C-alpha cells in the first residue's frame, strides 16, 4: 500500500515537472526577441546574441495568450537590462523596464 502510494505520488510530481520544463521558444517569443534586437541595433553596450524573453503562460494556468514579454539583454559589463515588449493592434512597443536587473527572468 505504501509503495503504491509513493509510486503514485512520484508519478504525479514527474508529470507536473515535465509540464513546467523549458520548451522551445514560440513564434511570439521569437518576435519579441527580434523586436528588442531591432530596438538596440544602433546602441552600444549590449551583446545582441544574448537576448532571452519570457514566453506565454502554460495553457493550464491561463487560457489567453500574452501580449507583454520581458526580455533580458546581456550588457557588455556582464549584467543584463530588462526590456518590456508590448504587442497590440499590430504594433510593437519596446521600452526599457529596468537597468542592471540581472539575467534571470521570471517564469
Amino acid at each position: 500500500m505504501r509503495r503504491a502510494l509513493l509510486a503514485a505520488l512520484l508519478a504525479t510530481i514527474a508529470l507536473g515537472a515535465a509540464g513546467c520544463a523549458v520548451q522551445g521558444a514560440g513564434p511570439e517569443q521569437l518576435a519579441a526577441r527580434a523586436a528588442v534586437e531591432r530596438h538596440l541595433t544602433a546602441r552600444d553596450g549590449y551583446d545582441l546574441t544574448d537576448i532571452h524573453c519570457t514566453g506565454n503562460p502554460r495553457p493550464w494556468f491561463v487560457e489567453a495568450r500574452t501580449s507583454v514579454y520581458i526580455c533580458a539583454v546581456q550588457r557588455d559589463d556582464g549584467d543584463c537590462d530588462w526590456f518590456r515588449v508590448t504587442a497590440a493592434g499590430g504594433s510593437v512597443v519596446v521600452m526599457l523596464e529596468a537597468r542592471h536587473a540581472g539575467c534571470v527572468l521570471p517564469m
Side-chain angles (χ1 to χ4, degrees):
M1 176 74 171
R2 280 184 158 171
R3 192 168 276 188
L5 182 59
L6 180 60
L9 179 62
L10 290 175
T12 302
I13 291 170
L15 286 174
C20 294
V22 176
Q23 300 174 0
E28 298 92 350
Q29 188 179 13
L30 293 174
R33 184 191 185 287
V36 171
E37 188 174 350
R38 282 190 307 273
H39 181 76
L40 295 174
T41 296
R43 297 193 175 134
D44 291 331
Y46 292 102
D47 177 4
L48 298 183
T49 63
D50 198 1
I51 301 173
H52 303 280
C53 301
T54 56
N56 276 309
R58 300 291 180 246
W60 52 83
F61 292 127
V62 179
E63 293 183 17
R65 308 224 19 108
T66 188
S67 60
V68 177
Y69 298 87
I70 302 297
C71 298
V73 183
Q74 182 82 40
R75 299 169 47 93
D76 289 344
D77 64 7
D79 201 357
C80 290
D81 287 347
W82 288 11
F83 290 85
R84 175 183 293 266
V85 180
T86 306
S91 67
V92 176
V93 177
V94 178
M95 295 176 50
L96 179 65
E97 178 77 9
R99 289 202 182 277
H100 301 282
C103 297
V104 178
L105 290 169
M107 292 188 73

